[in-house]
Amino acid sequence: MNQSMLRQERTAGLMFALPFCVSLFVFFVYALVRTVLFSFQTYDLFSTPEWVGVANYIALLTDPLFALALKHSLAFAVVVTTLQTGLALLLALAANQKIKGRGAFRTIFYFPSILSSAAMTLIFLWLFQRQGLINQGLGWLSAHGGLIVTGGLLFFALQTLQFLWKRRKYTWMRWGDPFNGLVSFAVTVVVMVIMAGYGIGVRALEQPVAITWLNTREVWGPLPRTIWAIVAMNIFTTVPTLMLLYLAGLQSIPESLYEAARIEGASRWQQLRHVTWPRLMPVSFTVVTLGIIGTLQMFDQVALLGDAAPLESKVTLAYFTYHNAFPPGGSPRIGMASAAALVLATLTLILVLIQRAVGVSETTND
Amino acid sequence: MTESALESRVEQAAVRRRQAASLIILYGILLAVATVLMGTFMFALLASLKRDPLEQPFRLAFEQIHPANWVVAWRLGRQGSGDAFWGGFGPSGDVTFELTYAAPADVELVEPAIEVPRRRPGTGMAAAVYRDFAADHIVDWTIEHAALEPFEVEVDGVVTPWQRATWTIRFRHDNEGPRIERVPLTAEAPLSQTLVDATLPPTRIERRGRVASWENITPGSLGYVFNNYRRVIKESVDLNTGNSLFVSWFKNSFFIAAGRVILTLVFATMAGYALARLRFPGNRALFMLLLVSMMIPVQVTFISNYLVIRDINLLNTPWAVIMVTIVSAQVLIMKQFFQSIPKEIEEAALMDGAGYWTTFYRIVLPMSRPALVTVTIMAFQGAWNDFFWPLVLINSPASAFTLPVGLLSLRNAYGGAGDWSLILAGAFMSTVPVLIMFMLFQRYIVDNPIASGSKE
C-alpha cells in the first residue's frame, strides 16, 4: 500500500469518526474536565465562579447528608449486586437443562427490563403503599405462617424418610434426588391443601399488616426501609434477565468436562466448584460489572419517589449530586455537586477495578 | 465405593425417572419466575382499571371486568350519545336507568330522590377548566314506578315477607347543548329501604347506605372499562391552552425518540466503521475513551452539559435531549458487527476506485440490516425510557415534558392523596409504544447481550 492510500485512509477514518468524536468531546471530555474545575470552585449557575481550593471536599466530608448518601450508594451497590448475581446463578443452576419453549420464557423474562424505569417505579410504589399488595401479601403469609412451616417440615421429613428407606434396602439415592423430591413435594402440597381446607395452621389476623415502606425514617441494617423497597424492585427487574445470561453460560460448558470429573470421582459440589464456577467466570464478570455500574447510578427510582419519602431515607450519591445542583427552592451549589459527582465516578472506577482484579485471580487459580 | 461408582449401579429406569423429574422441576422454576413477573404486571394492570387500586382486600373480580356490565354500558352509551364505545350524553340522547329498592313488607317503599349533581370530574387540573354539566342540558326526567313485587327472605329459618319495587328514570337531552362526557347521578332513599339492583352497580355508597352515587351512567363499554385511561388524557390539561398534557408528552417523547434514533444511526455507523476498519491517528485512544464513557455515570457530566445547552439557548426544547446523549454502546455494537463481516468485498470495491464513503454507503450499510435494526431499537427504547436528561434539560412548561417526567409530575400532583388509578393508567399507557416494538422485534432485543446489559 502506498503513501497516498495510507493518507486517504487516515483522512477517511478521521472524517468518519468526527461526528461521534465531537459529541464525545463536548458532552463527555469537556464536561468531565469542567466538573473537576467546578469541584474547586463555588458557583450557583449564574454568578461568576470563585476558586476555593478543596473547600468543597472538606464541606462534603462534614456534610452528614453526604455521608448518608455515600453509605446508601455503597450498601445499595453491594446488596443489589450480590443478591441479583446470587439469585440469578442459583435459579440458572436449578434450571440448567436443555429445554423446549425457552424462547417463550426468554420473552417473558425480558419483559420488565424493556419498560421505562418511570413506569416500573410507579407500579412498585403502588405495590409498596400502606394498603398495597406487598402488605396484603405479608398479611396472607403471616396468617398462613403455621401452615407454611408445617409444610416445609413435612417436606424434609418425607424426603428423609424416603432416603432412609432406600438406604435400608441398599438402593442408592441422594438425599436431593429430584424424583423423590417431586414425590415429597406433591404429598406435601396435598396435605397442605387439606389442612387449609380444615383451617389448620391458619389464623385470623387482628388487623391488616400496614408497614409504611416509603414515607419512613426507619433503617433496617445498612439501608433505610425506603431503599429496601427499591432493592426489591431492582432485583425483580434484573434477576430474570441475568438468569438467562447464566443459563446460556452454563449450557456452553461441554458435558465431557463433567464426565471427566465424575470419572475422577468428583462430588457434585466439587464439580460445581472446579468445573462450573471457573467456566462461568466471564459471565459473572459481565453480570457483576453491569451490576456495579448500574446500581451506583441508580437515580430514577429515587427521583420518582417524589415527596413520598424524606430525603434522608432515599438519598444516594447520584441523587445527592442532582439535589445540590438543582435544590428545590434553594440556590444551586455546583461546587458541592461536582465534588460529589467526582466521588461517584471514582467509586465506580475503583469498584470495577477491584472486581476485575478479584475476577482475574479467580480464573488463574484454577 | 465412590459416589459415581454407586451411581453407575442405579438401574436405567431410575435414571430416566430422575431425568423426567428434573425436567418437571426446571419447568416448575421457570413457570414460578414467569408467574411472579407477569403476575405483578397483571395485578397492576387490573388495578389500573379500578376506581380504587388500593382497595383492601384486593379483588380479582370487580365491576369493570364483568361482561354483563360491558353490555349494559354499551347500551347506555348508545342511548346517551349514539357512541356505544365511549358513551357520553349528547343531542337526541334518551337514557333509561333502573333502580330497584327492597324493604320488609310492613315498611312503605318511597320514591328515591334523584339528582344529577353538578360535579366536576376528578381532582386534577381539568376540574378548573370543566364547563359543561349534564345537569344543565337535561330537559326533563321522568321517574316511573313499577308494581310492588312481594318476595320472602329467610334468615335462620324465620321467613319474613319483603317487597321490592323498580323505578325507571328517563333522561332526555335538550338537543341544543354540547355533547357531555359524563352524567353523574345520585339516588337518595331512607335507610329503611335497600338498593338491591341497578342498571349499573353504583360507584359509591355514601351516608351509611342512604345515598348511592354513580360517576357516569352513560359510559359506553370502553369508557366503562378504561375510565381511568380516559381520565389521564382528559384530566391532565394545560390550563392556558386546554390541550391534554398527556398527549403532548406523548408527542414530545416520540419526537425525541425519533431524533435520537436518527442521530444514533449516523454517529454509530460512521464511528463504528472507522474504529473497525480504518487506521487513523487516535484510533485506540478513541476506543479507550468510549469504554470509559460507558462506565462514568451521567450524573458526573450533567452540570456542564446543562450549561452548554443553556448557552446555546436550547433549554426546554426537545433538541437539547436529542443532542446530549453519547452513543458509545451503539458505536461498540456497530464496531463489533463490522468486524464480523468479511473484508474482501470492501477491499474489492476500494481497489476498483470507489471512495471510502461510497464503499461504506453502498456496500457496507446495506449488509448491516440486523445491526442497524438492533441499534435503532436500542436508541428508541433508551430515548423513550430516558428519565434523567429530560428531567435536567426540560423544566417548563409542563407541556414540554416527556412521558417519564410527565408521569413524575402526575405523581407529585396527586402526591399525598395518591390518585393511583390515574398514575397506574398513565404508567401503562406510556409503555404501549415500547411494548409494540418489543412484540415486533423481540428477537433483536432478546438475543443481544449488549443491548440487554446497557439498559438504564
Side-chain angles (χ1 to χ4, degrees):
Chain A
M1 204 181 280
N2 60 37
Q3 274 309 106
S4 89
M5 277 185 81
L6 257 181
R7 203 164 40 239
Q8 261 185 17
E9 188 178 334
R10 287 170 64 167
T11 331
L14 287 173
M15 293 316 283
F16 271 85
L18 189 69
F20 174 65
C21 278
V22 171
S23 126
L24 191 65
F25 272 90
V26 174
F27 294 117
F28 182 70
V29 179
Y30 176 62
L32 204 58
V33 172
R34 256 172 124 190
T35 307
V36 175
L37 290 180
F38 282 143
S39 76
F40 297 108
Q41 297 171 330
T42 55
Y43 183 42
D44 63 356
L45 291 178
F46 301 103
S47 56
T48 15
E50 268 175 57
W51 198 262
V52 292
V54 291
N56 287 322
Y57 290 94
I58 294 168
L60 272 191
L61 288 179
T62 50
D63 186 347
L65 193 62
F66 175 76
L68 264 183
L70 187 63
K71 189 180 135 200
H72 291 168
S73 276
L74 274 175
F76 184 80
V78 171
V79 167
V80 171
T81 310
T82 315
L83 283 180
Q84 74 189 11
T85 312
L87 270 175
L89 182 60
L90 278 181
L91 280 173
L93 283 175
N96 181 23
Q97 295 266 331
K98 295 211 167 35
I99 51 159
K100 294 201 171 70
R102 211 170 80 205
F105 285 112
R106 283 230 283 211
T107 305
I108 294 175
F109 289 1
Y110 255 86
F111 179 69
S113 59
I114 59 145
L115 295 187
S116 70
S117 52
M120 278 298 301
T121 308
L122 290 178
I123 291 173
F124 264 76
L125 293 185
W126 166 74
L127 284 177
F128 278 104
Q129 294 297 300
R130 267 172 75 92
Q131 298 145 288
L133 269 189
I134 297 284
N135 279 346
Q136 291 192 35
L138 288 177
W140 187 90
L141 278 185
S142 87
H144 294 77
L147 189 64
I148 294 164
V149 171
T150 320
L153 291 176
L154 185 64
F155 176 82
F156 269 86
L158 284 174
Q159 191 72 358
T160 311
L161 258 167
Q162 292 191 64
F163 178 68
L164 292 177
W165 178 252
K166 288 269 170 113
R167 278 283 147 109
R168 243 192 85 195
K169 289 175 70 188
Y170 299 103
T171 325
W172 184 86
M173 174 195 159
R174 227 185 307 116
W175 189 88
D177 187 277
F179 178 75
N180 301 78
L182 219 55
V183 172
S184 308
F185 184 74
V187 175
T188 309
V189 168
V190 171
V191 172
M192 279 172 78
V193 168
I194 294 173
M195 278 173 68
Y198 284 102
I200 307 166
V202 184
R203 68 195 172 91
L205 289 188
E206 278 131 37
Q207 55 202 32
V209 174
I211 301 174
T212 314
W213 287 98
L214 305 172
N215 198 358
T216 173
R217 287 174 194 279
E218 191 111 355
V219 177
W220 283 352
L223 288 169
R225 197 190 281 160
T226 316
I227 297 187
W228 278 112
I230 302 178
V231 169
M233 166 180 163
N234 251 51
I235 291 175
F236 177 90
T237 45
T238 50
V239 164
T241 348
L242 298 181
M243 168 190 169
L244 291 177
L245 279 182
Y246 268 125
L247 214 49
L250 282 173
Q251 290 176 359
S252 69
I253 304 175
E255 186 57 31
S256 56
L257 284 179
Y258 290 109
E259 268 161 31
R262 274 199 291 271
I263 288 167
E264 286 177 30
S267 69
R268 280 250 155 177
W269 168 249
Q270 284 168 329
Q271 290 176 31
L272 185 68
R273 172 76 187 75
H274 296 287
V275 180
T276 312
W277 183 240
R279 286 271 160 169
L280 281 182
M281 274 321 286
V283 181
S284 302
F285 181 72
T286 317
V287 167
V288 173
T289 310
L290 291 174
I292 291 172
I293 297 175
T295 48
L296 277 178
Q297 11 183 311
M298 191 270 289
F299 170 87
D300 303 6
Q301 287 86 337
V302 175
L304 277 152
L305 274 171
D307 318 322
L311 188 59
E312 292 79 13
S313 325
K314 65 175 182 184
V315 72
T316 59
L317 269 186
Y319 193 75
F320 180 87
T321 309
Y322 175 81
H323 184 80
N324 269 290
F326 301 110
S331 81
R333 298 191 294 170
I334 298 302
M336 287 282 274
S338 302
L342 286 176
V343 174
L344 175 61
T346 321
L347 201 63
T348 313
L349 291 177
I350 291 178
L351 277 183
V352 171
L353 286 180
I354 291 179
Q355 198 266 126
R356 174 168 292 185
V358 173
V360 167
S361 71
E362 274 284 328
T363 32
T364 45
N365 277 348
D366 285 284
Chain B
M1 218 184 297
T2 64
E3 194 173 310
S4 57
L6 272 171
E7 203 162 1
S8 61
R9 273 182 25 180
V10 180
E11 53 200 297
Q12 280 300 303
V15 172
R16 272 203 301 279
R17 229 170 31 216
R18 222 167 52 218
Q19 278 168 349
S22 28
L23 203 63
I24 294 174
I25 294 174
L26 156 74
Y27 275 109
I29 291 173
L30 289 178
L31 267 178
V33 176
T35 311
V36 171
L37 278 183
M38 290 325 262
T40 310
F41 288 109
M42 286 318 292
F43 273 66
L45 192 61
L46 284 179
S48 75
L49 303 176
K50 290 181 183 183
R51 216 189 75 80
D52 177 18
L54 286 177
E55 64 176 6
Q56 230 173 351
F58 190 92
R59 286 177 302 157
L60 285 173
F62 52 99
E63 306 84 55
Q64 275 78 5
I65 58 166
H66 203 300
N69 288 339
W70 303 347
V71 177
V72 173
W74 169 282
R75 180 176 63 74
L76 289 170
R78 207 162 54 186
Q79 288 180 351
S81 67
D83 185 347
F85 290 112
W86 292 105
F89 191 55
S92 80
D94 185 350
V95 181
T96 47
F97 200 80
E98 289 182 348
L99 302 171
T100 306
Y101 283 93
D106 51 346
V107 178
E108 199 197 341
L109 276 171
V110 297
E111 185 180 293
I114 300 294
E115 195 200 346
V116 176
R118 305 177 100 256
R119 190 188 288 152
R120 291 173 193 277
T123 47
M125 296 157 253
V129 292
Y130 198 76
R131 296 275 174 273
D132 301 312
F133 294 96
D136 301 335
H137 297 287
I138 289 175
V139 254
D140 60 343
W141 68 59
T142 54
I143 179 156
E144 277 167 23
H145 159 33
L148 281 179
E149 235 183 290
F151 67 107
E152 285 172 344
V153 173
E154 192 183 324
V155 182
D156 297 335
V158 185
V159 177
T160 341
W162 276 56
Q163 53 179 346
R164 72 176 151 225
T166 299
W167 279 271
T168 308
I169 314 155
R170 188 167 169 194
F171 300 95
R172 279 204 216 120
H173 194 272
D174 63 6
N175 290 336
E176 281 162 19
R179 176 174 155 191
I180 296 145
E181 196 186 295
R182 60 189 82 211
V183 184
L185 176 76
T186 58
E188 183 171 3
L191 254 187
S192 54
Q193 66 191 49
T194 332
L195 181 72
V196 288
D197 196 12
T199 310
L200 271 183
T203 334
R204 255 177 311 188
I205 300 285
E206 289 156 357
R207 283 187 253 163
R208 286 199 232 138
R210 271 181 303 162
V211 177
S213 89
W214 286 262
E215 234 164 40
N216 185 7
I217 59 163
T218 57
S221 49
L222 291 179
Y224 187 69
V225 179
F226 297 106
N227 184 34
N228 295 330
Y229 289 76
R230 175 161 69 176
R231 282 181 59 209
V232 178
I233 294 174
K234 300 257 168 158
E235 289 185 21
S236 61
V237 292
D238 189 326
L239 285 183
N240 297 319
T241 60
N243 294 334
S244 165
L245 285 176
F246 200 84
V247 172
S248 20
W249 299 339
F250 229 93
K251 287 183 189 156
N252 297 337
S253 279
F254 253 116
F255 185 82
I256 288 176
R260 190 84 75 77
V261 165
I262 294 170
L263 184 128
T264 309
L265 282 178
V266 174
F267 283 22
T269 51
M270 288 176 67
Y273 188 67
L275 285 172
R277 284 284 200 266
L278 306 171
R279 278 159 297 174
F280 62 94
N283 188 322
R284 276 198 61 80
L286 181 63
F287 186 64
M288 290 311 290
L289 200 58
L290 178 151
L291 290 183
V292 174
S293 77
M294 285 171 70
M295 266 195 281
I296 302 290
V298 280
Q299 286 85 13
V300 179
T301 49
F302 79 101
I303 296 167
S304 165
N305 293 355
Y306 172 84
L307 290 171
V308 169
I309 296 291
R310 190 182 75 176
D311 293 341
I312 54 176
N313 273 323
L314 282 180
L315 273 192
N316 297 327
T317 65
W319 301 108
V321 184
I322 296 175
M323 275 174 63
V324 291
T325 12
I326 298 165
V327 296
S328 302
Q330 287 91 333
V331 174
L332 197 63
I333 290 184
M334 289 316 300
K335 173 188 183 289
Q336 279 164 353
F337 179 82
F338 290 139
Q339 278 170 338
S340 75
I341 55 177
K343 259 185 186 170
E344 286 73 26
I345 310 174
E346 291 160 67
E347 275 166 1
L350 286 172
M351 286 303 158
D352 287 348
Y356 283 98
W357 176 254
T358 320
T359 314
F360 169 71
Y361 193 73
R362 301 244 169 230
I363 294 171
V364 178
L365 277 192
M367 290 197 297
S368 316
R369 275 272 297 278
L372 294 180
V373 175
T374 306
V375 166
T376 305
I377 292 169
M378 271 176 78
F380 181 85
Q381 186 203 341
W384 187 266
N385 292 345
D386 188 8
F387 179 78
F388 185 73
W389 286 120
L391 181 73
V392 168
L393 298 173
I394 302 178
N395 292 307
S396 66
S399 59
F401 290 167
T402 61
L403 266 177
V405 182
L407 287 177
L408 171 68
S409 77
L410 256 192
R411 157 151 184 77
N412 282 338
Y414 297 98
D419 197 334
W420 281 100
S421 43
L422 286 197
I423 299 171
L424 283 181
F428 274 108
M429 246 195 300
S430 77
T431 61
V432 169
V434 240
L435 281 188
I436 294 174
M437 193 195 69
F438 184 62
M439 284 176 207
L440 293 180
F441 299 106
Q442 38 161 302
R443 72 195 166 97
Y444 290 98
I445 305 170
V446 172
D447 293 335
N448 178 10
I450 301 180
S452 62
S454 66
K455 176 197 165 296
E456 311 209 1

PDB file of all heavy atoms in Angstrom, chain A residues 185-205:
ATOM      1  N   PHE A 185     -42.812 -33.379  47.455  1.00  0.00           N
ATOM      2  CA  PHE A 185     -43.448 -32.085  47.242  1.00  0.00           C
ATOM      3  C   PHE A 185     -44.939 -32.261  46.977  1.00  0.00           C
ATOM      4  O   PHE A 185     -45.776 -31.571  47.569  1.00  0.00           O
ATOM      5  CB  PHE A 185     -42.776 -31.381  46.065  1.00  0.00           C
ATOM      6  CG  PHE A 185     -43.277 -30.000  45.819  1.00  0.00           C
ATOM      7  CD1 PHE A 185     -42.920 -28.967  46.678  1.00  0.00           C
ATOM      8  CD2 PHE A 185     -44.106 -29.728  44.749  1.00  0.00           C
ATOM      9  CE1 PHE A 185     -43.385 -27.683  46.464  1.00  0.00           C
ATOM     10  CE2 PHE A 185     -44.579 -28.446  44.528  1.00  0.00           C
ATOM     11  CZ  PHE A 185     -44.217 -27.429  45.382  1.00  0.00           C
ATOM     12  N   ALA A 186     -45.266 -33.238  46.121  1.00  0.00           N
ATOM     13  CA  ALA A 186     -46.674 -33.459  45.793  1.00  0.00           C
ATOM     14  C   ALA A 186     -47.461 -33.822  47.042  1.00  0.00           C
ATOM     15  O   ALA A 186     -48.539 -33.272  47.313  1.00  0.00           O
ATOM     16  CB  ALA A 186     -46.798 -34.550  44.731  1.00  0.00           C
ATOM     17  N   VAL A 187     -46.916 -34.759  47.834  1.00  0.00           N
ATOM     18  CA  VAL A 187     -47.617 -35.174  49.059  1.00  0.00           C
ATOM     19  C   VAL A 187     -47.794 -33.972  49.982  1.00  0.00           C
ATOM     20  O   VAL A 187     -48.877 -33.739  50.539  1.00  0.00           O
ATOM     21  CB  VAL A 187     -46.835 -36.301  49.771  1.00  0.00           C
ATOM     22  CG1 VAL A 187     -47.488 -36.637  51.104  1.00  0.00           C
ATOM     23  CG2 VAL A 187     -46.757 -37.522  48.884  1.00  0.00           C
ATOM     24  N   THR A 188     -46.707 -33.170  50.114  1.00  0.00           N
ATOM     25  CA  THR A 188     -46.781 -32.000  50.981  1.00  0.00           C
ATOM     26  C   THR A 188     -47.892 -31.057  50.552  1.00  0.00           C
ATOM     27  O   THR A 188     -48.684 -30.585  51.368  1.00  0.00           O
ATOM     28  CB  THR A 188     -45.442 -31.236  50.960  1.00  0.00           C
ATOM     29  OG1 THR A 188     -44.398 -32.156  51.208  1.00  0.00           O
ATOM     30  CG2 THR A 188     -45.419 -30.134  51.982  1.00  0.00           C
ATOM     31  N   VAL A 189     -47.959 -30.802  49.243  1.00  0.00           N
ATOM     32  CA  VAL A 189     -48.976 -29.872  48.749  1.00  0.00           C
ATOM     33  C   VAL A 189     -50.369 -30.391  49.064  1.00  0.00           C
ATOM     34  O   VAL A 189     -51.236 -29.663  49.568  1.00  0.00           O
ATOM     35  CB  VAL A 189     -48.803 -29.628  47.238  1.00  0.00           C
ATOM     36  CG1 VAL A 189     -50.008 -28.908  46.659  1.00  0.00           C
ATOM     37  CG2 VAL A 189     -47.550 -28.821  46.984  1.00  0.00           C
ATOM     38  N   VAL A 190     -50.593 -31.698  48.811  1.00  0.00           N
ATOM     39  CA  VAL A 190     -51.917 -32.279  49.094  1.00  0.00           C
ATOM     40  C   VAL A 190     -52.252 -32.107  50.570  1.00  0.00           C
ATOM     41  O   VAL A 190     -53.339 -31.627  50.929  1.00  0.00           O
ATOM     42  CB  VAL A 190     -51.940 -33.767  48.684  1.00  0.00           C
ATOM     43  CG1 VAL A 190     -53.215 -34.421  49.187  1.00  0.00           C
ATOM     44  CG2 VAL A 190     -51.813 -33.889  47.180  1.00  0.00           C
ATOM     45  N   VAL A 191     -51.302 -32.446  51.443  1.00  0.00           N
ATOM     46  CA  VAL A 191     -51.559 -32.326  52.878  1.00  0.00           C
ATOM     47  C   VAL A 191     -51.853 -30.872  53.252  1.00  0.00           C
ATOM     48  O   VAL A 191     -52.784 -30.592  54.023  1.00  0.00           O
ATOM     49  CB  VAL A 191     -50.351 -32.860  53.691  1.00  0.00           C
ATOM     50  CG1 VAL A 191     -50.528 -32.566  55.175  1.00  0.00           C
ATOM     51  CG2 VAL A 191     -50.190 -34.347  53.454  1.00  0.00           C
ATOM     52  N   MET A 192     -51.079 -29.938  52.668  1.00  0.00           N
ATOM     53  CA  MET A 192     -51.293 -28.530  52.996  1.00  0.00           C
ATOM     54  C   MET A 192     -52.671 -28.056  52.557  1.00  0.00           C
ATOM     55  O   MET A 192     -53.343 -27.313  53.265  1.00  0.00           O
ATOM     56  CB  MET A 192     -50.205 -27.659  52.353  1.00  0.00           C
ATOM     57  CG  MET A 192     -48.910 -27.653  53.143  1.00  0.00           C
ATOM     58  SD  MET A 192     -47.583 -26.831  52.249  1.00  0.00           S
ATOM     59  CE  MET A 192     -47.995 -25.129  52.529  1.00  0.00           C
ATOM     60  N   VAL A 193     -53.091 -28.491  51.365  1.00  0.00           N
ATOM     61  CA  VAL A 193     -54.413 -28.081  50.884  1.00  0.00           C
ATOM     62  C   VAL A 193     -55.494 -28.608  51.823  1.00  0.00           C
ATOM     63  O   VAL A 193     -56.421 -27.888  52.200  1.00  0.00           O
ATOM     64  CB  VAL A 193     -54.631 -28.580  49.432  1.00  0.00           C
ATOM     65  CG1 VAL A 193     -56.085 -28.428  49.020  1.00  0.00           C
ATOM     66  CG2 VAL A 193     -53.730 -27.818  48.478  1.00  0.00           C
ATOM     67  N   ILE A 194     -55.339 -29.879  52.223  1.00  0.00           N
ATOM     68  CA  ILE A 194     -56.327 -30.451  53.148  1.00  0.00           C
ATOM     69  C   ILE A 194     -56.331 -29.666  54.462  1.00  0.00           C
ATOM     70  O   ILE A 194     -57.393 -29.299  54.993  1.00  0.00           O
ATOM     71  CB  ILE A 194     -56.032 -31.945  53.401  1.00  0.00           C
ATOM     72  CG1 ILE A 194     -56.233 -32.722  52.095  1.00  0.00           C
ATOM     73  CG2 ILE A 194     -56.929 -32.505  54.500  1.00  0.00           C
ATOM     74  CD1 ILE A 194     -55.809 -34.160  52.162  1.00  0.00           C
ATOM     75  N   MET A 195     -55.123 -29.400  54.994  1.00  0.00           N
ATOM     76  CA  MET A 195     -55.037 -28.640  56.255  1.00  0.00           C
ATOM     77  C   MET A 195     -55.705 -27.284  56.111  1.00  0.00           C
ATOM     78  O   MET A 195     -56.485 -26.863  56.972  1.00  0.00           O
ATOM     79  CB  MET A 195     -53.560 -28.439  56.645  1.00  0.00           C
ATOM     80  CG  MET A 195     -52.936 -29.636  57.347  1.00  0.00           C
ATOM     81  SD  MET A 195     -51.169 -29.384  57.585  1.00  0.00           S
ATOM     82  CE  MET A 195     -51.179 -28.058  58.787  1.00  0.00           C
ATOM     83  N   ALA A 196     -55.419 -26.613  54.976  1.00  0.00           N
ATOM     84  CA  ALA A 196     -56.015 -25.290  54.778  1.00  0.00           C
ATOM     85  C   ALA A 196     -57.528 -25.393  54.709  1.00  0.00           C
ATOM     86  O   ALA A 196     -58.252 -24.535  55.230  1.00  0.00           O
ATOM     87  CB  ALA A 196     -55.459 -24.656  53.499  1.00  0.00           C
ATOM     88  N   GLY A 197     -58.026 -26.491  54.074  1.00  0.00           N
ATOM     89  CA  GLY A 197     -59.460 -26.699  53.986  1.00  0.00           C
ATOM     90  C   GLY A 197     -60.105 -26.787  55.357  1.00  0.00           C
ATOM     91  O   GLY A 197     -61.216 -26.293  55.578  1.00  0.00           O
ATOM     92  N   TYR A 198     -59.400 -27.414  56.313  1.00  0.00           N
ATOM     93  CA  TYR A 198     -59.938 -27.523  57.670  1.00  0.00           C
ATOM     94  C   TYR A 198     -59.527 -26.339  58.542  1.00  0.00           C
ATOM     95  O   TYR A 198     -59.817 -26.305  59.727  1.00  0.00           O
ATOM     96  CB  TYR A 198     -59.489 -28.834  58.322  1.00  0.00           C
ATOM     97  CG  TYR A 198     -60.247 -30.032  57.799  1.00  0.00           C
ATOM     98  CD1 TYR A 198     -59.676 -30.894  56.868  1.00  0.00           C
ATOM     99  CD2 TYR A 198     -61.560 -30.289  58.232  1.00  0.00           C
ATOM    100  CE1 TYR A 198     -60.367 -31.977  56.374  1.00  0.00           C
ATOM    101  CE2 TYR A 198     -62.265 -31.368  57.740  1.00  0.00           C
ATOM    102  CZ  TYR A 198     -61.678 -32.215  56.810  1.00  0.00           C
ATOM    103  OH  TYR A 198     -62.374 -33.284  56.327  1.00  0.00           O
ATOM    104  N   GLY A 199     -58.776 -25.428  57.950  1.00  0.00           N
ATOM    105  CA  GLY A 199     -58.363 -24.242  58.707  1.00  0.00           C
ATOM    106  C   GLY A 199     -57.274 -24.531  59.730  1.00  0.00           C
ATOM    107  O   GLY A 199     -57.076 -23.748  60.660  1.00  0.00           O
ATOM    108  N   ILE A 200     -56.545 -25.628  59.562  1.00  0.00           N
ATOM    109  CA  ILE A 200     -55.448 -25.929  60.497  1.00  0.00           C
ATOM    110  C   ILE A 200     -54.214 -25.134  60.075  1.00  0.00           C
ATOM    111  O   ILE A 200     -53.862 -25.114  58.892  1.00  0.00           O
ATOM    112  CB  ILE A 200     -55.112 -27.428  60.488  1.00  0.00           C
ATOM    113  CG1 ILE A 200     -56.384 -28.238  60.744  1.00  0.00           C
ATOM    114  CG2 ILE A 200     -54.055 -27.759  61.536  1.00  0.00           C
ATOM    115  CD1 ILE A 200     -56.247 -29.701  60.425  1.00  0.00           C
ATOM    116  N   GLY A 201     -53.558 -24.498  61.025  1.00  0.00           N
ATOM    117  CA  GLY A 201     -52.353 -23.738  60.706  1.00  0.00           C
ATOM    118  C   GLY A 201     -52.655 -22.376  60.116  1.00  0.00           C
ATOM    119  O   GLY A 201     -51.767 -21.676  59.670  1.00  0.00           O
ATOM    120  N   VAL A 202     -53.930 -22.008  60.090  1.00  0.00           N
ATOM    121  CA  VAL A 202     -54.312 -20.701  59.580  1.00  0.00           C
ATOM    122  C   VAL A 202     -54.915 -19.909  60.732  1.00  0.00           C
ATOM    123  O   VAL A 202     -55.743 -20.431  61.462  1.00  0.00           O
ATOM    124  CB  VAL A 202     -55.369 -20.825  58.461  1.00  0.00           C
ATOM    125  CG1 VAL A 202     -55.680 -19.469  57.873  1.00  0.00           C
ATOM    126  CG2 VAL A 202     -54.888 -21.778  57.398  1.00  0.00           C
ATOM    127  N   ARG A 203     -54.438 -18.681  60.908  1.00  0.00           N
ATOM    128  CA  ARG A 203     -55.042 -17.881  61.968  1.00  0.00           C
ATOM    129  C   ARG A 203     -55.549 -16.573  61.381  1.00  0.00           C
ATOM    130  O   ARG A 203     -55.055 -16.100  60.358  1.00  0.00           O
ATOM    131  CB  ARG A 203     -54.044 -17.619  63.087  1.00  0.00           C
ATOM    132  CG  ARG A 203     -52.915 -16.712  62.691  1.00  0.00           C
ATOM    133  CD  ARG A 203     -51.791 -16.775  63.703  1.00  0.00           C
ATOM    134  NE  ARG A 203     -50.645 -16.034  63.180  1.00  0.00           N
ATOM    135  CZ  ARG A 203     -50.441 -14.734  63.420  1.00  0.00           C
ATOM    136  NH1 ARG A 203     -51.267 -14.052  64.179  1.00  0.00           N
ATOM    137  NH2 ARG A 203     -49.403 -14.119  62.908  1.00  0.00           N
ATOM    138  N   ALA A 204     -56.562 -16.036  62.012  1.00  0.00           N
ATOM    139  CA  ALA A 204     -57.103 -14.768  61.534  1.00  0.00           C
ATOM    140  C   ALA A 204     -56.271 -13.633  62.112  1.00  0.00           C
ATOM    141  O   ALA A 204     -55.897 -13.655  63.270  1.00  0.00           O
ATOM    142  CB  ALA A 204     -58.551 -14.631  61.953  1.00  0.00           C
ATOM    143  N   LEU A 205     -55.941 -12.657  61.276  1.00  0.00           N
ATOM    144  CA  LEU A 205     -55.175 -11.512  61.762  1.00  0.00           C
ATOM    145  C   LEU A 205     -56.108 -10.520  62.437  1.00  0.00           C
ATOM    146  O   LEU A 205     -57.220 -10.288  61.973  1.00  0.00           O
ATOM    147  CB  LEU A 205     -54.475 -10.813  60.598  1.00  0.00           C
ATOM    148  CG  LEU A 205     -53.310 -11.543  59.947  1.00  0.00           C
ATOM    149  CD1 LEU A 205     -52.627 -10.627  58.961  1.00  0.00           C
ATOM    150  CD2 LEU A 205     -52.327 -12.022  60.989  1.00  0.00           C
TER     151      LEU A 205
END
